[in-house]
Amino acid sequence: MSDRTKQLQDLDRRYVWHPFTQMSDWEAEPPIVIERGEGSWLIDTDGNRYLDGVASMWTNVHGHCRKELNEALQAQVDKLEHSTLLGLAGEQSILLAEQLVAITPEGMDKVFYSDNGSTAVEVGLKMAFQYQQHRGAVNRKKFITFRHAYHGDTLGAVSVGGIDAYHEIFRPLLFTTIQAPAPYCYRCEMGENDPATCGMSCLKELGRLMAEHGHEVAGVVMEPLVQGAGGMIVHPAGFLKGVRDLCNIHGILLILDEVATGFGRTGSMFACQREGVTPDIMALSKGITAGYLPLAATMTTRAVYDAFLGQYRELKSFFHGHTFTGNPLACAVALASLELFKKDNLLVNLAAKIAYLEERLVGMSQLSHVGNVRSCGMVGGIELVRERSTREAYPWEEKVGVQVCQEARRHGLFLRPLGNIIVIFPPLAITPDELTFLCDVVEAAIRTVTEG
Ligand SMILES: *Cc1c(COP(=O)(O)O)cnc(C)c1O
């Protein structure tokens, strides 16, 4: 290890507080210090290479340091680094809005920018709430949320979250919601073991909640097809469509959080397109700049937008905005990323990799300590259990997921687990050989830790 690496490690432990991290564990081990990126690989200050198995927190699409994206960023920085959208329009944010409207479902006509996934969701919540007020539905002040949901870490986003380990401590600061069960067939709270019946039971319960509370509900917030941070929980086909239909019956807005699923992750550009669903409000972030810069967009329909129009003195403006809204550098990279989707024929080429990942996961489902595997596009989740027959979980304190990821790291693969669920979420541009390597290392690491 070089002196420079040691020095950076020391400084990190002295000054940097890492997110979602028990810092006393962190301080006990010298961290890997990443210096460079190349395609699907991250390279540390000593030249060690790690395959980026989590696409740098689910953001990376075309690989690291992609020439075309670097050039777009360089070209923009020589023209303009930032100018505000409060009182001015911007070339790049205009062009990107046009593209976003073109690639999202018919009906998503307006783009409100912010800079991360949590704010994209917050904007969606406030937009839905204020919309209901403007249209005279003054009692529609609540939101229906789902168990296991994750929508970000600011207080509004936490309010609509459903992961007790992260969210419970903040409960006194949060607004209350009406929580519906999510189809988590592997640990079904509805007592169902078959995915389709599990989905039906959850829809039935959602319908019951809406019949009871519908008149006071502004919107339903959900992650379409797969609940990410909750454990890569994949919903049965038709569930999203069922939620949309129930929202229509009860006059409730559907707010889809596509922060993790958007931009090709599930195999189509947006997850909702897989079920032909158009939301009323849609939150986008993570993949939007292909992992380059913070940017988010909350999209909505003409109908929602129109409810905010009026005389200045009516105070119907949407009173929300962030300093770096519509940043030109981020928008320029986002535009270049959409070009690359076309140039690389990315979504078409993804199909074979998705099929391979699925096949390997099915293979891993036979391992003696794997309780369940699931996948949705280029997302995989492998749930480790102490006892396969009873699906008895490993006690979370044993950190079996963490151990598997540490073992993978020794073999050149960077992963981050969600409890005892191993998450596979590589850059979409990963090559078939790299994907093979990733699956080989994951499988070997699970065996070493759980059978060794
Ligand atoms: C990551 C994530 C968020 C939060 O995004 P941040 O940029 O971390 O604030 C919101 N929703 C979903 C589904 C996410 O995966």
Side-chain angles (χ1 to χ4, degrees), residues 14 31 61 84 151 158 190 218 260 294 307 313 318-319 332 386 449-450:
R14 201 176 314 160
V61 176
T84 183
H151 297 290
V158 171
M190 309 299 291
R313 61 184 150 70
F318 186 39
F319 293 107
R386 175 134 80 189
V449 171
T450 63

Side-chain angles (χ1 to χ4, degrees), residues 59-371:
T59 60
N60 196 284
V61 176
H62 307 291
H64 294 281
C65 272
R66 189 60 202 259
K67 185 166 158 289
E68 293 89 335
L69 300 182
N70 292 7
E71 284 170 359
L73 183 55
Q74 281 154 10
Q76 181 57 37
V77 82
D78 285 334
K79 279 203 292 189
L80 173 68
E81 76 303 324
H82 185 64
S83 133
T84 183
L85 292 198
L86 287 91
L88 293 171
E91 181 194 17
Q92 299 299 322
S93 52
I94 294 168
L95 297 176
L96 179 60
E98 182 189 26
Q99 290 303 310
L100 291 175
V101 168
I103 62 173
T104 47
E106 187 76 36
M108 292 284 96
D109 286 338
K110 295 285 170 182
V111 181
F112 189 97
Y113 288 110
S114 63
D115 35 43
N116 63 75
S118 307
T119 56
V121 171
E122 297 266 358
V123 166
L125 297 173
K126 289 176 72 178
M127 204 178 256
F129 180 89
Q130 196 175 334
Y131 162 78
Q132 299 288 11
Q133 295 295 308
H134 287 333
R135 74 177 191 108
V138 291
N139 292 324
R140 290 188 180 265
K141 294 177 180 172
K142 293 194 175 158
F143 290 93
I144 292 180
T145 60
F146 287 95
R147 215 109 72 216
H148 315 297
Y150 178 82
H151 297 290
D153 293 329
T154 55
L155 288 173
V158 171
S159 294
V160 294
I163 305 175
D164 290 346
Y166 304 164
H167 298 154
E168 206 43 47
I169 183 147
F170 298 113
R171 206 53 74 190
L173 299 179
L174 309 178
F175 59 78
T176 56
T177 68
I178 299 161
Q179 202 183 56
Y184 191 1
C185 321
Y186 340 97
R187 306 202 171 282
C188 189
E189 293 153 14
M190 309 299 291
E192 309 284 0
N193 273 317
D194 170 65
T197 31
C198 180
M200 291 310 292
S201 302
C202 289
L203 283 177
K204 211 169 135 198
E205 175 61 10
L206 183 65
R208 195 192 63 73
L209 288 171
M210 284 187 180
E212 191 182 334
H213 300 284
H215 60 284
E216 47 175 6
V217 173
V220 171
V221 194
M222 82 182 283
E223 296 158 86
L225 300 196
V226 47
Q227 291 182 300
M232 296 304 160
I233 301 162
V234 177
H235 295 162
F239 184 71
L240 172 61
K241 180 75 171 56
V243 174
R244 172 75 271 185
D245 292 344
L246 285 170
C247 286
N248 289 347
I249 292 169
H250 294 276
I252 293 170
L253 295 182
L254 177 61
I255 304 167
L256 289 186
D257 177 353
E258 291 244 16
V259 170
T261 51
F263 299 96
R265 184 52 58 178
T266 66
S268 53
M269 200 52 147
F270 299 100
C272 60
Q273 291 165 330
R274 299 256 311 260
E275 299 208 352
V277 162
T278 301
D280 298 288
I281 293 174
M282 186 174 183
L284 304 175
S285 186
K286 289 196 170 102
I288 192 169
T289 63
Y292 267 59
L293 286 164
L295 180 69
T298 306
M299 300 189 58
T300 192
T301 58
R302 185 118 223 145
V304 169
Y305 174 86
D306 282 349
F308 289 73
L309 301 177
Q311 298 296 319
Y312 184 73
R313 61 184 150 70
E314 288 181 88
L315 295 175
K316 279 186 166 181
S317 309
F318 186 39
F319 293 107
H320 189 107
H322 296 280
T323 309
F324 279 99
T325 285
N327 176 260
L329 298 174
C331 291
V333 178
L335 278 164
S337 168
L338 292 178
E339 277 301 310
L340 274 185
F341 266 94
K342 285 185 236 159
K343 185 176 151 211
D344 291 352
N345 213 3
L346 188 72
L347 293 179
V348 171
N349 293 331
L350 213 48
K353 291 186 272 188
I354 290 172
Y356 176 80
L357 176 62
E358 244 176 61
E359 182 192 312
R360 289 298 301 265
L361 287 168
V362 169
M364 287 185 232
S365 71
Q366 300 309 309
L367 296 177
S368 55
H369 289 279
V370 170

Side-chain angles (χ1 to χ4, degrees), residues 52-61 64 265 291 425-428:
D52 186 356
V54 296
S56 292
M57 210 48 241
W58 313 352
T59 60
N60 196 284
V61 176
H64 294 281
R265 184 52 58 178
F425 206 115
L428 298 184

Side-chain angles (χ1 to χ4, degrees), residues 23-37:
M23 291 306 291
S24 66
D25 290 347
W26 182 266
E27 288 177 21
E29 298 254 352
I32 293 171
V33 183
I34 297 300
E35 187 179 55
R36 288 188 300 124

